[in-house]
């Protein structure tokens, strides 16, 4: 077995598990029109400025909306 085939074989085994973990991870988002961030913590400083409702969604969904991790998260 060549190294490439071996690598693809390992990736095929690992990928389904990692994507399940990603999809399971929930983040908080502010639904305001200017909000382009997602947050791991509900009590994050970035969310305190949110003037509209705070929603929970999967990390995957947040990324699909083009959101990026909030600057206050570590
Ligand atoms: Zn945040």
């Amino acid at each position: 077995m060549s190294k490439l085939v071996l690598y693809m074989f390992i990736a095929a085994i690992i990928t389904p598990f990692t994507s399940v973990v990603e999809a399971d991870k929930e983040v908080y988002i502010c639904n305001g029109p200017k909000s382009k961030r997602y947050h791991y913590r509900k009590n994050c400083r970035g969310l305190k400025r949110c003037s509209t409702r705070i929603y929970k969604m999967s990390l995957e969904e947040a990324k699909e909306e083009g959101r990026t991790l909030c600057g206050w998260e570590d």
Side-chain angles (χ1 to χ4, degrees):
M1 215 185 268
S2 77
K3 267 188 183 163
L4 182 63
V5 171
L6 186 64
Y7 172 77
M8 286 166 71
F9 180 69
I10 292 168
I13 294 170
I14 293 170
T15 304
F17 290 105
T18 52
S19 56
V20 163
V21 169
E22 285 273 292
D24 259 14
K25 191 154 196 170
E26 285 187 313
V27 294
Y28 297 95
I29 59 126
C30 176
N31 207 35
K34 282 178 277 180
S35 174
K36 285 274 168 251
R37 303 291 191 157
Y38 62 81
H39 311 262
Y40 289 135
R41 294 167 295 163
K42 202 179 181 180
N43 59 353
C44 172
R45 286 175 74 178
L47 276 173
K48 291 222 163 73
R49 296 180 308 173
C50 181
S51 55
T52 60
R53 284 199 59 183
I54 293 166
Y55 288 91
K56 209 168 156 187
M57 62 162 64
S58 75
L59 179 57
E60 211 161 71
E61 281 176 303
K63 282 179 176 171
E64 272 168 22
E65 286 189 3
R67 292 176 181 273
T68 53
L69 179 63
C70 148
W72 295 110
E73 312 282 339
D74 46 30

